[in-house]
Amino acid sequence: MPETIFKKAVNICGLKQTTYLRRDGLFLDEPLINFSKETQPSNAHRCFNAALNKVDEALTAAGAKHVSYIWEWTE
């Protein structure tokens, strides 16, 4: 998941403590999204997922042919 997409989803949810850790490696290239510092990490995670759907819809409406995200998370 690009960091720009992460930022859009975080802004939709108003998340202030969620972090994005880019991990580039031979076998591991997905970012780690950490919700653990939010007041309600599980709710933050749910909102983030829903926000990604909104971002997908906007990208598709703008002409994107394929939208895919690979990421790992911790609560």
Side-chain angles (χ1 to χ4, degrees), residues 26 29 57:
L26 185 57
D29 63 356
E57 290 170 5

Side-chain angles (χ1 to χ4, degrees), residues 1-3 5-7 9-11 14-23 30-38 41 44-45 48 71-75:
M1 169 191 322
E3 193 168 2
I5 301 297
F6 164 80
K7 288 178 180 179
V10 163
N11 287 336
L15 301 176
K16 302 294 183 201
Q17 301 299 316
T18 298
T19 59
Y20 177 101
L21 176 63
R22 183 176 183 89
R23 302 181 299 172
E30 70 268 5
L32 175 64
I33 310 300
N34 186 344
F35 302 100
S36 67
K37 294 179 182 170
E38 295 290 345
H45 183 195
F48 186 83
W71 54 289
E72 188 176 353
W73 72 90
T74 185
E75 290 181 5

Side-chain angles (χ1 to χ4, degrees), residues 42-59:
S42 293
N43 289 344
H45 183 195
R46 278 192 290 279
C47 184
F48 186 83
N49 278 332
L52 284 179
N53 288 333
K54 291 178 184 178
V55 172
D56 286 351
E57 290 170 5
L59 289 172

